[in-house]
């Protein structure tokens, strides 16, 4: 029984949903709507976070298309799979993600609805084990990190990760924060291709982070959503694997949505390492129980497609070649932008789909109005958001705006 319905509707019942407050609109979604509504044919949308090829499409990968065909021919049932989703999918992702640690029986993984689902499950597991854990988040970061951690009722501690003026990682500050953290605090790290800055830790920095994390008893939680799009499939997981060398407990949220181009199919996995195989089994039981209350089971199609690619040698080789092609395009455009002006040179030394341009919100607005180029107010842009023919025009517009 409701004690005090705040409003009464025409049917005489309580109108509780009408009491909900306004929410701030997602600025990136608003930007996409703005770009879609712009009638100028030459418009460039570098706000949206998807891969685009030389002619501006977000194609279905060849290997994915071929696997979908095979799956359509071979799949005989769509009966329930269970809370862990497609177990073979997780088994096949395992060596790609874990490398030399793939045989470690203290590490287990399961399929999730995309990287978001993995992050969400991971944070909820942490909250169950240690509700007092704080999550150390370097800023800026992907806008969904904080809301997902907060949805698990975890406290957030922000620190500055990237110095926009100096165009470098504020590594000393990061290490000071990690060095002062409490045992059991969670360190959220981008495995590669930092979103939004493109500024990745180098090998030496990963080693320093791994050492401090282990010394202080912190729990590293690595979000790896762009494996293969930075330096290479193996190279992009190398930092995370250093953590596995030195920490008994590591949580990893992995996404296939970018490197298989299956964004809307929601494909990802959560991997967990603890100190003992028995503890890992227990943690996974909790994870499955948490997932049961959220989505019960992950959607099948995308993971089944990825599994079909990875089960097939020829398709796997083609997928790897396609990842190489995507990465080559990203790095080619990075080099072109970096070579255009010394003020943009740093973009050539960054990784993945995103970087931040040295422009303020006012300049971003001018670029949008004058040149029909759409990017986030922060100056974050998708390096491969434009077709090849648009690259020179994009660079000229940025340089003109920086010149004032
Ligand atoms: C850093 C980062 N983590 C996780 C995700 C989530 O990816 P998914 O679409 O698989 O949920 C994204 C997506 O943009 C991302 O940029």
């Amino acid at each position: 029984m409701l004690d005090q319905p705040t409003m009464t509707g025409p049917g005489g019942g309580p109108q509780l949903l009408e009491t909900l407050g306004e929410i701030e609109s997602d600025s990136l979604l608003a930007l996409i709507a703005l770009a879609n509504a712009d009638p100028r044919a030459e418009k460039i949308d570098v706000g949206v976070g998807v891969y685009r090829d030389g002619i501006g499409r977000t194609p279905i990968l060849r290997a994915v298309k071929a696997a979908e065909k095979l799956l359509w021919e071979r799949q005989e049932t769509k009966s329930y799979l269970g809370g862990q989703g497609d177990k073979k999918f997780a088994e096949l992702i395992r060596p790609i993600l874990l490398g030399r640690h793939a045989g470690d029986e203290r590490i287990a993984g399961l399929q999730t609805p995309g990287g978001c689902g993995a992050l969400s499950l991971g944070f909820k597991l942490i909250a169950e084990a240690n509700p007092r854990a704080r999550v150390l988040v370097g800023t800026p970061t992907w806008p969904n990190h904080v809301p997902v951690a907060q949805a698990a009722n975890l406290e957030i501690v922000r620190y500055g990760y990237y110095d926009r003026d100096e165009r470098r990682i504020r590594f000393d500050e990061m290490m000071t924060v990690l060095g002062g953290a409490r045992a059991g605090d969670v360190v959220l790290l981008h495995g590669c291709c930092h979103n939004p800055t493109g500024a990745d830790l180098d090998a030496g920095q990963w080693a320093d982070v791994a050492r401090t994390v282990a010394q202080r008893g912190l729990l590293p939680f690595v979000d790896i959503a762009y494996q293969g799009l930075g330096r290479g499939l193996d190279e992009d997981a190398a930092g995370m694997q250093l953590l596995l060398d030195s920490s008994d407990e590591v949580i990893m949220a992995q996404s296939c949505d970018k490197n298989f181009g299956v964004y809307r199919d929601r494909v990802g996995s959560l991997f967990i390492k603890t100190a003992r195989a028995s503890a890992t089994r227990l943690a996974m039981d909790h994870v499955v129980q948490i997932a049961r209350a959220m989505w019960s089971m992950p959607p099948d199609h995308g993971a089944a497609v990825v599994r079909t690619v990875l089960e097939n040698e020829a398709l796997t080789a083609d997928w790897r070649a396609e990842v190489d092609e995507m990465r080559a395009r990203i790095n080619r455009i990075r080099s072109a932008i970096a070579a255009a002006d010394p003020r943009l040179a740093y973009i050539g030394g960054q990784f993945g789909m995103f970087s931040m341009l040295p422009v303020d919100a006012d300049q971003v607005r001018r670029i949008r109005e004058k040149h029909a180029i759409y990017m986030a107010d922060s100056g974050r842009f998708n390096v491969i958001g434009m077709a090849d023919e648009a690259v020179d025009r994009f660079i000229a517009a940025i340089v003109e705006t920086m010149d004032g």
Side-chain angles (χ1 to χ4, degrees), residues 113-117 119 142 145 190 195 223 225-226 255 257-258 266-267:
C116 274
L119 286 165
W142 180 54
H145 275 150
H190 294 235
N195 180 5
D223 176 11
Y226 298 89
S255 174
D257 290 329
K258 324 286 170 160
R266 316 301 306 131
V267 188

Side-chain angles (χ1 to χ4, degrees), residues 122-138 145-146 148-150 152-159 173-189 213 216-221 251:
F123 283 127
K124 285 191 188 284
L125 179 73
I126 292 164
E128 270 196 9
N130 178 13
R132 293 186 54 251
R134 305 175 309 169
V135 184
L136 312 183
V137 181
H145 275 150
V146 168
V148 173
Q150 281 173 334
N153 289 321
L154 291 169
E155 185 189 337
I156 308 293
V157 178
R158 291 180 173 82
Y159 65 89
E173 181 173 337
M174 179 178 181
M175 292 309 285
T176 304
V177 170
L178 265 52
R182 299 198 295 244
D185 279 348
V186 178
V187 186
L188 181 63
L189 296 161
V213 159
R216 302 219 42 98
L218 310 179
L219 174 56
F221 190 167
I251 303 187

Side-chain angles (χ1 to χ4, degrees), residues 19 35 44 59 74-75 119 137 216 240 261 264 291 308 317 335 337-338 356 362 364-365 386 388-389:
T19 67
I44 299 173
R74 290 178 186 167
Q75 196 172 46
L119 286 165
V137 181
R216 302 219 42 98
M240 192 194 76
R264 66 172 69 165
T308 305
S335 301
I337 297 172
M356 293 174 91
D362 201 42
V364 166
R365 185 181 47 74
M386 65 202 105
D388 285 343
E389 58 79 18

Side-chain angles (χ1 to χ4, degrees), residues 63 67 74 98 110 115-117 143 148 160 172 186 209 259-260 286 313 317 322 332 334 343 359:
R74 290 178 186 167
L98 303 178
L110 89 176
C116 274
V148 173
D172 291 346
V186 178
V209 168
N259 59 11
F260 280 83
H286 279 262
E313 227 173 274
E322 289 183 287
R332 200 166 54 243
R334 281 192 175 281
R343 289 167 295 181
V359 287

